[in-house]
Amino acid sequence: MKVKVYPSVVSGSLPAPASKSHTIRAVAAAMLAFGKTTLFHPSHCNDAEVMFDIARKSGATVISFPDRVEITGKSYLRQTTINCGESGLCARLMIALAALFTSEVTVTGSGTLLNRQLGDIIIPLNHLGVDCSSENGYLPFKIRGPIKAGNVNVDGALSSQFISGLMMVLPLLDENSILTVKNIKSAPYINLTTEVLKNFGVKIEKIANHQFFIPGKQIYQPSQISIEGDWSGAAFLAVAALVSGSLIITGLDPGSTQADANLKDFLLSAGLTFSQTDKQLYLSKNNIPAFTFDCSDSPDLMLPLAVLATCAEGPCTITGTDRLRYKESDRNAAIQQELGKLGIRMVAGDDKIVVYPGKIIGGETYSHHDHRIAMACAIAGLVAQSPVIIQDAECVSKSYPAFFDDLKSIGAHVETFTQE
């Protein structure tokens, strides 16, 4: 699919998309619970649908309604090959969950996920008695449990997602465990996991900085959960308002443990004008000062803030960017290339990028099959001098299927074409 975004002024009110991170974690927990769990207003993006499908094929009963999904978990694993599509979160969670079982399970994926290094997984699982192997940390992974309780160290430099998987599995074991995380990145995502587990009656105790005591013999209780609005997707809408109009974004919990709820702190530190009441975020066009932002704990904010930086009053620096090379695309290189096509100079350095503001001239861009690159290029189109075209724009369905329709609903001039 090819999308053309014309210079536009946005206005109105729009609900934030449902959080895929919250949805996927809640589905994984529901699979482990005995009884019916209800998820209200979950995400139905591609990654979330992959997790629902994994739950079905693994033996859980999954029934969808217009406003909710009901999941009844099972204590067995029905499939021996788990396909996680292009979802890194699904893959890392399911590698951990597969370790509960004595039969060999293969966890694989498709598309861009097959080219992504999944990080420190094999050594911690081997330490806990699991036979786990892969080709240099890439899918497919082969796992044979059962996993045993114990003290384990995990390097979180590349991702915190496998740590979340261990947090889901270790409470089910007969003995207590201690999980120590080194080089932690995206710590708020670990907090999101512990919040989800709390909803299912599972307790994780933080006993030191990045060290967790996990009692064994816990039982997942079925739950009823309202899925939060997604701060990651909403960040693109927020930037649209800050550079090209005004917007009310609803459904965003100000107390959320989502990593990208850090957007509020960024807005305050940058001196940008906004307001939030209850779960509504009010934003309008601002003069954008030169800013610096560390995205170590909220890496998905890098791309919308890179677009915001193009409209700033001086060069902007975003640090903590090294591991963005291992996302759906090498995001440092991809955004530098695509903004460069639009007349913006950006320099990627040692764990940082520097964006030099200027006029966005418009032109043709490529998504790199990365949903967030496609959304970034679209927001740039709102303030360009001529339309911005995004090739392979259908990839937004990975996290935010309604993205282009939502842009249209707030006044953006967006045209969609079948790609030749």
Side-chain angles (χ1 to χ4, degrees):
M1 180 177 76
K2 182 167 66 175
V3 171
K4 182 184 285 189
V5 180
Y6 291 80
S8 306
V9 175
V10 300
S11 64
S13 177
L14 194 64
S19 168
K20 79 180 179 80
S21 294
H22 193 190
T23 299
I24 290 171
R25 284 168 170 81
V27 174
M31 291 168 60
L32 299 172
F34 289 92
K36 184 174 71 177
T37 291
T38 303
L39 308 183
F40 292 98
H41 307 294
S43 172
H44 288 286
C45 68
N46 287 0
D47 281 6
E49 287 298 324
V50 164
M51 194 66 205
F52 285 124
D53 188 56
I54 289 171
R56 291 186 190 96
K57 291 178 178 177
S58 297
T61 301
V62 181
I63 303 175
S64 294
F65 298 90
D67 65 337
R68 67 193 189 280
V69 174
E70 296 177 352
I71 302 171
T72 304
K74 299 290 184 183
S75 60
Y76 60 86
L77 189 68
R78 193 167 62 188
Q79 59 179 334
T80 57
T81 298
I82 300 172
N83 192 319
C84 298
E86 296 195 56
S87 173
L89 175 56
C90 288
R92 293 180 176 105
L93 293 183
M94 291 312 302
I95 287 169
L97 267 63
L100 287 167
F101 302 96
T102 56
S103 58
E104 182 176 274
V105 178
T106 299
V107 177
T108 189
S110 61
T112 59
L113 184 58
L114 296 176
N115 300 319
R116 294 171 63 182
Q117 237 275 358
L118 295 191
D120 183 27
I121 290 176
I122 294 177
I123 292 175
L125 284 182
N126 289 165
H127 179 76
L128 295 171
V130 178
D131 184 4
C132 177
S133 63
S134 77
E135 289 292 330
N136 299 314
Y138 294 88
L139 292 175
F141 273 68
K142 294 186 181 297
I143 306 102
R144 184 189 294 273
I147 189 170
K148 298 176 182 178
N151 298 342
V152 62
N153 297 326
V154 183
D155 191 328
L158 188 60
S159 173
S160 66
Q161 293 170 348
F162 176 64
I163 297 161
S164 291
L166 286 179
M167 286 181 160
M168 291 186 166
V169 168
L170 294 176
L172 295 168
L173 307 184
D174 288 338
E175 304 293 335
N176 302 334
S177 298
I178 294 177
L179 173 61
T180 303
V181 183
K182 302 179 296 180
N183 303 317
I184 191 167
K185 301 290 184 181
S186 300
Y189 285 110
I190 294 177
N191 297 335
L192 177 60
T193 300
T194 59
E195 284 298 312
V196 170
L197 293 179
K198 188 184 299 183
N199 287 327
F200 287 85
V202 174
K203 297 179 180 179
I204 305 287
E205 181 183 347
K206 190 171 183 178
I207 56 176
N209 193 27
H210 310 317
Q211 188 174 65
F212 304 88
F213 174 71
I214 304 176
K217 296 182 179 180
Q218 299 192 61
I219 297 173
Y220 280 72
Q221 303 295 332
S223 184
Q224 294 190 350
I225 299 175
S226 293
I227 298 299
E228 295 180 358
D230 182 36
W231 281 92
S232 302
F236 289 96
L237 303 176
V239 170
L242 290 169
V243 301
S244 183
S246 61
L247 193 60
I248 301 170
I249 307 173
T250 62
L252 291 173
D253 184 354
S256 173
T257 53
Q258 291 178 50
D260 293 337
N262 282 346
L263 178 66
K264 305 186 306 296
D265 296 331
F266 163 75
L267 295 172
L268 286 169
S269 65
L272 297 170
T273 301
F274 75 102
S275 62
Q276 184 165 24
T277 58
D278 192 19
K279 294 186 178 182
Q280 297 193 120
L281 188 64
Y282 300 78
L283 306 111
S284 59
K285 188 173 181 179
N286 273 237
N287 292 323
I288 312 299
F291 63 82
T292 298
F293 178 73
D294 181 0
C295 72
S296 296
D297 282 341
S298 45
D300 288 341
L301 289 182
M302 187 273 272
L303 291 174
L305 295 188
V307 176
L308 182 68
T310 67
C311 299
E313 296 171 345
C316 300
T317 301
I318 302 175
T319 61
T321 60
D322 265 3
R323 66 198 182 96
L324 291 166
R325 294 181 287 128
Y326 305 103
K327 295 290 188 176
E328 286 81 349
S329 67
D330 177 346
R331 287 182 175 165
N332 294 334
I335 194 61
Q336 183 177 14
Q337 181 179 344
E338 301 313 313
L339 288 182
K341 293 175 182 177
L342 303 178
I344 297 297
R345 181 184 171 215
M346 190 187 109
V347 177
D350 182 19
D351 202 27
K352 68 178 180 181
I353 64 167
V354 180
V355 181
Y356 295 86
K359 293 182 179 179
I360 298 175
I361 59 175
E364 190 159 318
T365 64
Y366 171 53
S367 71
H368 297 256
H369 303 294
D370 187 328
H371 53 134
R372 301 196 194 280
I373 294 290
M375 289 189 278
C377 291
I379 299 304
L382 298 176
V383 290
Q385 294 178 318
S386 61
V388 169
I389 297 169
I390 306 120
Q391 300 280 0
D392 288 344
E394 67 275 5
C395 60
V396 298
S397 293
K398 178 177 173 63
S399 64
Y400 193 168
F403 175 70
F404 291 112
D405 288 337
D406 281 355
L407 281 186
K408 291 179 185 178
S409 75
I410 56 174
H413 182 182
V414 178
E415 295 179 353
T416 303
F417 307 90
T418 301
Q419 200 156 311
E420 297 178 359

